[in-house]
Amino acid sequence: MPAALLGHRVDRVIRFESVTKTYDGGTTAVDSLDLEIPRGEITVLVGPSGCGKTTSLRMINRMVDPTSGRILIDDEDVMDRPAAQLRRSIGYVIQHAGLFPHRTVLANVMTVPRLLGWDRSRSRQAAMEAIEKVGLTADQARRYPSQLSGGQQQRVGVARALASGPELVLMDEPFSAVDPLARADLQSELLRLQADLGITVVLVTHDIDEALLLGHKIAVMRQGGHLAQFAAPAELLADPADDFVANFVGKDRGYRALGFATAGVEPRPERTYRLGDAIPAGSGWVLAVDDAGLPIGWAHANGWGGPLAAERLHRLGTLAAPDSSARTFLDAALSSPSHRGVVVADGQVVGTVGAEEVLAALDEGRSARPGEHAEPSAS
């Protein structure tokens, strides 16, 4: 079984040293880029079209060779290794998965192990382990790409990148071609896989929200292939380097920054009701739960009283956990029809929070730490 699939911690770092790429005709895609990519983390390259982010990524595995400067992986210049050998040691995921349509999912995922000279039995075992890692089944492994959804095909692309146990995986806008629900699932899957395997991931996207969600560190690039800022998401939101970064991150960066801030909110007790329970008239908004105690909706009891029926329920808003970020708490309150965000732990309602309580907690936290940014939340 490949070391990476055993959860081996990666011990490598990538360094760009004054890297420039100029194409025939004089167009400079990347200009004097200095950047150090940390080991065992997700680093995201983000920026507008034409800023050199994809070129920078493709220079790591020599899909593109630099015009000048050096790219080092563990202090070894990538130009000192044969390009084909280098590429086989690095996982690579592209936008449309790039699968061979005439091969089964299993055969697609076995591609790199076979190119590395592994025997069929070892290649098959590694491929099946990778397929299971990305949430696909043995039945799906026997299918052809055309028999899978776009999101499933992209999972195959990720499995193929992981099958040989690489310590480094490059991802070029891997989720931009799938629908929003599949994209959210794939993003969550990537976060889980990276945490489990400890691999180093370098990912390109044009979507700042995706960058903030996935990146431990984010490199914002500007037109002309220049690095504008390299920082953790919370720092990028709290202290953009210049107007370009501030505008690219977006005018709602203050709200986004709440995703990396703790609120210290104590949920207030909330009485719950089950379907069929008698609701006194004039009770206002009441929270309904199922027999296991999970919240299932809100009912507004002003103007009626009697047994709680399913047809009276309004959809829940976002659910929060006790250790959620300030943004999650605030969204839970604002998205709830009662304006009370439901807090759940271990499948049970522990209480509710209001937007005013979240904002008050944030103000209290800032007063207690004047001049400091809030610490990132674990959620």
Coordinates of all heavy atoms in Angstrom, one line a residue, residues 162-225:
L162 N -4.0 9.8 -6.7 CA -3.5 9.3 -5.5 C -3.0 7.9 -5.5 O -2.4 7.4 -4.6 CB -4.7 9.4 -4.4 CG -5.2 10.7 -4.1 CD1 -6.4 10.6 -3.1 CD2 -4.2 11.6 -3.4
A163 N -3.3 7.2 -6.6 CA -3.1 5.7 -6.6 C -1.7 5.3 -6.4 O -1.4 4.2 -5.8 CB -3.6 5.1 -7.9
S164 N -0.7 6.1 -6.9 CA 0.7 5.7 -6.7 C 1.3 6.2 -5.4 O 2.5 6.1 -5.2 CB 1.5 6.2 -7.9 OG 1.5 7.6 -7.9
G165 N 0.5 6.8 -4.6 CA 0.9 7.3 -3.3 C 1.8 8.5 -3.3 O 2.8 8.6 -2.6
P166 N 1.5 9.5 -4.2 CA 2.4 10.7 -4.3 C 2.4 11.5 -3.0 O 1.3 11.6 -2.4 CB 1.9 11.4 -5.5 CG 0.4 11.1 -5.5 CD 0.3 9.7 -5.0
E167 N 3.5 12.2 -2.8 CA 3.5 13.1 -1.6 C 3.0 14.5 -2.0 O 2.7 15.3 -1.2 CB 4.9 13.2 -1.1 CG 5.4 11.9 -0.5 CD 6.9 12.0 0.0 OE1 7.6 12.9 -0.5 OE2 7.3 11.1 0.7
L168 N 3.0 14.8 -3.3 CA 2.6 16.1 -3.9 C 1.5 15.9 -4.9 O 1.7 15.0 -5.8 CB 3.8 16.8 -4.5 CG 3.5 18.0 -5.3 CD1 2.9 19.1 -4.4 CD2 4.8 18.5 -5.9
V169 N 0.4 16.6 -4.8 CA -0.7 16.6 -5.8 C -1.0 18.0 -6.3 O -1.2 18.9 -5.5 CB -2.0 15.9 -5.2 CG1 -3.1 16.0 -6.2 CG2 -1.7 14.5 -4.8
L170 N -1.0 18.1 -7.6 CA -1.3 19.4 -8.3 C -2.7 19.3 -8.8 O -3.1 18.3 -9.4 CB -0.3 19.7 -9.4 CG 1.2 19.6 -9.1 CD1 2.0 19.9 -10.4 CD2 1.5 20.6 -8.0
M171 N -3.5 20.4 -8.6 CA -4.9 20.4 -9.0 C -5.2 21.7 -9.8 O -5.1 22.8 -9.2 CB -5.8 20.2 -7.8 CG -5.5 19.0 -6.9 SD -6.6 18.8 -5.5 CE -7.8 17.7 -6.4
D172 N -5.6 21.6 -11.1 CA -5.8 22.7 -11.9 C -7.3 22.9 -12.1 O -7.9 22.2 -12.9 CB -5.1 22.6 -13.2 CG -5.2 23.8 -14.1 OD1 -5.7 24.8 -13.6 OD2 -4.7 23.8 -15.2
E173 N -7.9 23.8 -11.3 CA -9.3 24.1 -11.3 C -10.1 22.8 -11.3 O -11.0 22.6 -12.2 CB -9.7 25.0 -12.5 CG -8.9 26.3 -12.5 CD -9.8 27.5 -13.0 OE1 -11.0 27.5 -12.7 OE2 -9.2 28.4 -13.6
P174 N -9.9 21.9 -10.4 CA -10.5 20.6 -10.5 C -12.0 20.5 -10.3 O -12.6 19.5 -10.8 CB -9.8 19.9 -9.3 CG -9.5 21.0 -8.3 CD -9.1 22.1 -9.1
F175 N -12.6 21.5 -9.7 CA -14.1 21.3 -9.4 C -14.9 22.3 -10.2 O -16.1 22.4 -9.9 CB -14.3 21.5 -7.9 CG -13.4 20.6 -7.1 CD1 -12.8 21.2 -5.9 CD2 -13.1 19.3 -7.4 CE1 -12.0 20.4 -5.1 CE2 -12.3 18.5 -6.6 CZ -11.7 19.1 -5.5
S176 N -14.3 23.1 -11.1 CA -15.1 24.2 -11.7 C -16.1 23.7 -12.8 O -17.0 24.4 -13.1 CB -14.1 25.2 -12.4 OG -13.3 24.6 -13.4
A177 N -15.9 22.5 -13.2 CA -16.8 22.0 -14.3 C -18.0 21.1 -13.8 O -18.7 20.6 -14.6 CB -16.0 21.2 -15.3
V178 N -18.2 21.0 -12.5 CA -19.3 20.2 -11.9 C -20.3 21.1 -11.3 O -20.0 22.3 -11.0 CB -18.7 19.2 -10.9 CG1 -17.8 18.2 -11.6 CG2 -18.0 19.9 -9.7
D179 N -21.5 20.6 -11.1 CA -22.6 21.4 -10.5 C -22.3 21.8 -9.1 O -21.4 21.2 -8.4 CB -23.9 20.6 -10.6 CG -23.9 19.4 -9.8 OD1 -24.1 19.5 -8.5 OD2 -23.8 18.3 -10.3
P180 N -23.0 22.8 -8.5 CA -22.6 23.3 -7.2 C -22.7 22.3 -6.1 O -21.8 22.3 -5.2 CB -23.7 24.4 -7.0 CG -24.0 24.9 -8.4 CD -23.9 23.7 -9.2
L181 N -23.7 21.4 -6.1 CA -23.8 20.4 -5.0 C -22.6 19.4 -5.1 O -22.0 19.1 -4.1 CB -25.1 19.7 -5.2 CG -26.4 20.5 -4.8 CD1 -27.6 19.6 -5.0 CD2 -26.3 20.9 -3.3
A182 N -22.3 18.9 -6.3 CA -21.2 18.0 -6.5 C -19.9 18.7 -6.1 O -19.0 18.1 -5.5 CB -21.1 17.5 -7.9
R183 N -19.8 20.0 -6.4 CA -18.6 20.8 -6.1 C -18.4 20.8 -4.6 O -17.3 20.7 -4.1 CB -18.7 22.2 -6.7 CG -17.4 23.0 -6.5 CD -17.6 24.3 -7.3 NE -16.3 25.0 -7.3 CZ -16.1 26.1 -8.0 NH1 -17.0 26.6 -8.8 NH2 -14.9 26.7 -8.0
A184 N -19.5 21.1 -3.9 CA -19.4 21.2 -2.4 C -18.9 19.9 -1.8 O -18.1 19.8 -0.9 CB -20.7 21.7 -1.8
D185 N -19.5 18.8 -2.3 CA -19.1 17.4 -1.9 C -17.6 17.2 -2.1 O -16.9 16.6 -1.3 CB -19.9 16.4 -2.5 CG -21.4 16.3 -2.0 OD1 -21.6 16.9 -0.9 OD2 -22.2 15.7 -2.6
L186 N -17.1 17.5 -3.3 CA -15.8 17.3 -3.7 C -14.8 18.1 -2.9 O -13.7 17.7 -2.5 CB -15.6 17.6 -5.2 CG -16.2 16.5 -6.1 CD1 -16.3 17.1 -7.6 CD2 -15.3 15.3 -6.2
Q187 N -15.2 19.4 -2.6 CA -14.4 20.2 -1.7 C -14.2 19.6 -0.3 O -13.1 19.6 0.2 CB -15.0 21.6 -1.7 CG -14.9 22.4 -2.9 CD -15.7 23.7 -3.0 OE1 -16.7 23.8 -2.2 NE2 -15.4 24.6 -3.8
S188 N -15.3 19.1 0.2 CA -15.3 18.5 1.5 C -14.4 17.3 1.5 O -13.7 17.0 2.4 CB -16.7 18.2 2.0 OG -17.5 19.3 2.2
E189 N -14.5 16.5 0.4 CA -13.8 15.3 0.3 C -12.3 15.6 0.2 O -11.4 14.9 0.8 CB -14.2 14.5 -1.0 CG -13.8 13.1 -1.0 CD -14.6 12.2 -0.1 OE1 -15.6 12.6 0.4 OE2 -14.1 11.1 0.3
L190 N -11.9 16.6 -0.5 CA -10.5 17.0 -0.6 C -10.0 17.4 0.8 O -8.8 17.0 1.1 CB -10.3 18.2 -1.6 CG -8.9 18.8 -1.6 CD1 -7.9 17.7 -2.1 CD2 -8.9 20.0 -2.6
L191 N -10.7 18.2 1.5 CA -10.3 18.6 2.9 C -10.1 17.3 3.7 O -9.1 17.2 4.5 CB -11.3 19.5 3.5 CG -11.4 20.9 2.9 CD1 -12.5 21.7 3.5 CD2 -10.1 21.7 3.2
R192 N -11.0 16.4 3.6 CA -10.8 15.2 4.4 C -9.6 14.3 4.0 O -8.8 13.9 4.9 CB -12.1 14.3 4.3 CG -12.1 13.0 5.1 CD -13.3 12.1 4.8 NE -13.2 11.6 3.5 CZ -12.5 10.6 3.1 NH1 -11.7 10.0 3.9 NH2 -12.5 10.2 1.8
L193 N -9.5 14.2 2.7 CA -8.3 13.4 2.2 C -7.0 14.0 2.6 O -6.1 13.3 3.0 CB -8.4 13.2 0.7 CG -9.5 12.2 0.2 CD1 -9.7 12.4 -1.3 CD2 -9.1 10.8 0.5
Q194 N -6.9 15.3 2.4 CA -5.6 16.0 2.7 C -5.3 15.8 4.2 O -4.1 15.6 4.6 CB -5.7 17.4 2.3 CG -4.3 18.1 2.3 CD -3.9 18.6 3.7 OE1 -4.8 18.9 4.5 NE2 -2.6 18.6 4.0
A195 N -6.3 16.0 5.1 CA -6.1 15.8 6.5 C -5.7 14.4 6.8 O -4.8 14.2 7.7 CB -7.3 16.3 7.3
D196 N -6.3 13.4 6.2 CA -6.1 12.0 6.5 C -4.7 11.6 6.0 O -4.0 10.8 6.7 CB -7.1 11.1 5.9 CG -8.5 11.2 6.6 OD1 -8.5 11.8 7.7 OD2 -9.4 10.7 6.0
L197 N -4.3 12.0 4.8 CA -3.1 11.6 4.2 C -1.9 12.4 4.4 O -0.8 12.0 4.2 CB -3.3 11.4 2.6 CG -4.5 10.6 2.2 CD1 -4.6 10.6 0.7 CD2 -4.4 9.2 2.7
G198 N -2.1 13.7 4.8 CA -1.0 14.6 5.0 C -0.2 15.0 3.8 O 0.9 15.4 3.9
I199 N -0.9 14.9 2.6 CA -0.2 15.2 1.4 C -0.1 16.7 1.2 O -0.8 17.5 1.8 CB -0.9 14.6 0.2 CG1 -2.4 15.0 0.2 CG2 -0.8 13.1 0.1 CD1 -3.2 14.5 -1.0
T200 N 0.8 17.1 0.4 CA 1.0 18.5 -0.1 C 0.1 18.7 -1.3 O 0.3 18.0 -2.3 CB 2.4 18.9 -0.3 OG1 3.2 18.7 0.8 CG2 2.5 20.4 -0.7
V201 N -0.8 19.7 -1.3 CA -1.6 20.0 -2.4 C -1.4 21.4 -2.9 O -1.4 22.3 -2.1 CB -3.1 19.8 -2.1 CG1 -4.0 20.2 -3.3 CG2 -3.4 18.4 -1.6
V202 N -1.2 21.6 -4.2 CA -1.2 22.9 -4.8 C -2.3 23.0 -5.8 O -2.4 22.2 -6.7 CB 0.1 23.2 -5.5 CG1 0.2 24.6 -6.0 CG2 1.3 22.9 -4.6
L203 N -3.3 23.9 -5.5 CA -4.5 24.0 -6.3 C -4.7 25.3 -6.9 O -4.5 26.4 -6.3 CB -5.7 23.6 -5.3 CG -7.1 23.6 -5.9 CD1 -7.9 22.5 -5.2 CD2 -7.8 24.9 -5.8
V204 N -5.1 25.4 -8.1 CA -5.4 26.6 -8.9 C -6.9 26.8 -8.9 O -7.7 25.8 -9.2 CB -4.8 26.6 -10.3 CG1 -5.5 27.6 -11.2 CG2 -3.3 26.8 -10.3
T205 N -7.4 28.0 -8.7 CA -8.8 28.3 -8.8 C -8.9 29.8 -9.2 O -8.0 30.6 -8.8 CB -9.6 28.0 -7.6 OG1 -11.0 28.3 -7.8 CG2 -9.2 28.8 -6.4
H206 N -10.0 30.2 -9.8 CA -10.3 31.6 -10.0 C -11.3 32.1 -8.9 O -11.7 33.3 -8.9 CB -10.8 31.9 -11.4 CG -12.2 31.2 -11.6 ND1 -12.2 29.9 -12.0 CD2 -13.4 31.6 -11.5 CE1 -13.5 29.5 -12.1 NE2 -14.3 30.6 -11.8
D207 N -11.8 31.2 -8.1 CA -12.9 31.4 -7.2 C -12.3 31.7 -5.8 O -11.8 30.8 -5.1 CB -13.8 30.2 -7.2 CG -15.0 30.4 -6.3 OD1 -15.1 31.3 -5.5 OD2 -16.0 29.6 -6.5
I208 N -12.4 32.9 -5.3 CA -11.9 33.3 -4.0 C -12.6 32.6 -2.9 O -12.0 32.2 -1.9 CB -11.9 34.9 -3.8 CG1 -11.2 35.2 -2.5 CG2 -13.3 35.4 -3.8 CD1 -9.7 34.9 -2.5
D209 N -13.9 32.3 -3.0 CA -14.6 31.5 -2.0 C -14.0 30.1 -1.8 O -13.8 29.6 -0.7 CB -16.1 31.5 -2.3 CG -16.8 32.8 -2.0 OD1 -16.5 33.4 -1.0 OD2 -17.6 33.2 -2.8
E210 N -13.7 29.5 -3.0 CA -13.1 28.2 -2.9 C -11.7 28.3 -2.3 O -11.3 27.4 -1.5 CB -13.0 27.6 -4.3 CG -12.4 26.2 -4.4 CD -12.7 25.5 -5.7 OE1 -12.0 25.9 -6.7 OE2 -13.5 24.6 -5.8
A211 N -10.9 29.3 -2.7 CA -9.6 29.5 -2.1 C -9.7 29.6 -0.6 O -8.9 29.0 0.1 CB -8.9 30.7 -2.7
L212 N -10.6 30.4 -0.1 CA -10.7 30.7 1.3 C -11.2 29.4 2.1 O -10.8 29.1 3.2 CB -11.7 31.8 1.6 CG -11.3 33.2 1.1 CD1 -12.4 34.2 1.2 CD2 -10.1 33.7 2.0
L213 N -12.0 28.6 1.4 CA -12.5 27.4 2.0 C -11.4 26.3 2.1 O -11.2 25.7 3.1 CB -13.7 26.8 1.2 CG -14.2 25.4 1.6 CD1 -14.8 25.5 3.0 CD2 -15.2 24.9 0.6
L214 N -10.6 26.2 1.0 CA -9.7 25.0 0.9 C -8.3 25.4 1.4 O -7.5 24.5 1.9 CB -9.6 24.5 -0.5 CG -10.9 24.0 -1.1 CD1 -10.7 23.6 -2.5 CD2 -11.4 22.8 -0.3
G215 N -7.8 26.6 1.3 CA -6.4 26.9 1.4 C -6.0 27.0 2.9 O -6.6 27.8 3.6
H216 N -4.9 26.4 3.2 CA -4.1 26.7 4.4 C -3.4 28.0 4.2 O -3.3 28.9 5.1 CB -3.1 25.6 4.8 CG -3.8 24.4 5.2 ND1 -3.9 23.3 4.4 CD2 -4.3 23.9 6.4 CE1 -4.5 22.3 5.0 NE2 -4.8 22.7 6.2
K217 N -2.8 28.2 3.0 CA -2.2 29.4 2.5 C -2.7 29.7 1.1 O -3.0 28.8 0.3 CB -0.7 29.2 2.5 CG 0.0 29.1 3.8 CD 0.0 30.4 4.6 CE 0.7 30.3 5.9 NZ 2.1 30.0 5.8
I218 N -2.8 31.0 0.8 CA -3.4 31.5 -0.4 C -2.4 32.4 -1.1 O -1.9 33.4 -0.4 CB -4.7 32.2 -0.3 CG1 -5.7 31.2 0.3 CG2 -5.2 32.7 -1.6 CD1 -7.1 31.8 0.7
A219 N -2.0 32.2 -2.3 CA -1.2 33.1 -3.1 C -2.1 33.8 -4.1 O -2.6 33.2 -5.0 CB -0.1 32.3 -3.9
V220 N -2.3 35.1 -3.9 CA -3.1 35.9 -4.8 C -2.1 36.5 -5.8 O -1.2 37.2 -5.5 CB -3.8 37.1 -4.0 CG1 -4.6 37.9 -5.0 CG2 -4.7 36.5 -2.9
M221 N -2.5 36.2 -7.1 CA -1.6 36.7 -8.2 C -2.4 37.7 -9.0 O -3.6 37.7 -9.1 CB -1.2 35.5 -9.1 CG -0.4 34.5 -8.3 SD 0.3 33.1 -9.3 CE 1.6 34.0 -10.2
R222 N -1.6 38.7 -9.5 CA -2.2 39.8 -10.3 C -1.7 39.6 -11.8 O -0.8 38.9 -12.1 CB -1.8 41.1 -9.7 CG -0.3 41.5 -9.8 CD 0.0 42.9 -9.5 NE 0.2 43.0 -8.0 CZ -0.6 43.8 -7.2 NH1 -1.6 44.4 -7.8 NH2 -0.4 43.9 -6.0
Q223 N -2.3 40.4 -12.7 CA -2.0 40.4 -14.1 C -0.5 40.6 -14.2 O 0.2 41.4 -13.5 CB -2.7 41.5 -14.8 CG -4.2 41.3 -14.9 CD -4.7 40.2 -15.8 OE1 -3.8 39.6 -16.5 NE2 -5.9 39.8 -15.8
G224 N 0.1 39.9 -15.2 CA 1.5 40.0 -15.5 C 2.3 38.9 -14.7 O 3.6 38.9 -14.8
G225 N 1.6 38.1 -14.0 CA 2.3 37.0 -13.3 C 3.1 37.4 -12.1 O 4.1 36.9 -11.7

